[in-house]
Amino acid sequence: MSTSDWQKSSYCAESSNCIQLAVTGPRVGIRESTEPGMIVTTTPARLRAFLDAVKTGALDAPRQA
């Protein structure tokens, strides 16, 4: 993946550390801006399922009484 393929959220300030995404064919690359050499890849469907789980709180730790 070339450097021009990576995109970051518009919510990320120019000097902030950000998560970046790049789509190459059937794969999505994910990296942190401070560690550009460390890339995790997945499929768009799996990334979508993960983001949906984060948004709904399905991955939150159970609350203790």
Side-chain angles (χ1 to χ4, degrees):
M1 296 179 185
S2 74
T3 56
S4 62
D5 296 334
W6 294 98
Q7 296 183 350
K8 63 181 178 179
S9 170
S10 59
Y11 290 100
C12 183
E14 192 63 39
S15 62
S16 297
N17 298 333
C18 301
I19 299 296
Q20 301 173 329
L21 300 175
V23 178
T24 304
R27 306 297 290 174
V28 176
I30 306 167
R31 71 180 186 183
E32 185 177 347
S33 61
T34 58
E35 293 289 336
M38 186 180 302
I39 301 168
V40 175
T41 61
T42 189
T43 64
R46 287 184 176 173
L47 178 58
R48 189 175 314 111
F50 173 73
L51 293 176
D52 287 344
V54 169
K55 289 177 183 178
T56 63
L59 302 177
D60 292 351
R63 296 182 185 194
Q64 296 185 1

